[in-house]
Amino acid sequence: MSGERGFSFPESLLSLLIVYVIFTSLFPLMDRMVMNLEMQKLAVQAASVASDSVDLHYLTGEAEGSRTIGSVVFDWRMQGGGICVSYKAASGWQSRCYEPDG
C-alpha cells in the first residue's frame, strides 16, 4: 500500500543492526580509554604521595613509609637524593622514581 507511514520490520532490524555494530566496535576503544585513565590517575596519586613524603622526610627524617589512597597502597622510600613510590596497578606492580631538579 502506498499510503502507509513509518518503517517496515526489515528496515527496523537493519537500523538496529547498524546501531549494534557501531556500539560493539566502539566498546574496545572505550575500555582502553578507561584503563589509560586509571593508569594516569594512579600516576598522579603516586606523584602526590611522593610530594607529601618528601615534605614528611624533611620534617621528621623518615626515610620510608606507606600511604593508602582509596584501595591502593603506595609504598615510598627515599633513595639517593630522590624518592621512589611503588604501587600495584591493574598491569602489575609499578614504581616511579623522582629526582630533585637542579
Side-chain angles (χ1 to χ4, degrees):
M1 295 185 182
S2 62
E4 291 186 26
R5 301 180 66 114
F7 296 106
S8 67
F9 185 69
E11 290 171 330
S12 298
L13 285 179
L14 180 63
S15 63
L16 286 175
L17 178 67
I18 291 170
V19 169
Y20 174 77
V21 167
I22 289 171
F23 279 115
T24 56
S25 64
L26 291 178
F27 186 75
L29 175 65
M30 183 195 66
D31 189 47
R32 191 169 39 245
M33 289 173 64
V34 168
M35 289 298 292
N36 286 340
L37 183 61
E38 181 67 26
M39 290 174 60
Q40 289 175 0
K41 180 178 112 177
L42 288 172
V44 167
Q45 289 174 337
S48 175
V49 168
S51 175
D52 294 345
S53 300
V54 166
D55 292 342
L56 183 66
H57 172 69
Y58 285 116
L59 290 174
T60 65
E62 289 186 44
E64 62 183 46
S66 64
R67 179 174 167 198
T68 302
I69 300 177
S71 62
V72 180
V73 177
F74 295 87
D75 296 321
W76 61 273
R77 174 176 294 163
M78 299 300 292
Q79 286 183 225
I83 186 170
C84 289
V85 179
S86 301
Y87 57 94
K88 187 171 184 181
S91 60
W93 282 95
Q94 300 288 322
S95 183
R96 296 190 171 268
C97 294
Y98 304 93
E99 298 294 327
D101 292 334

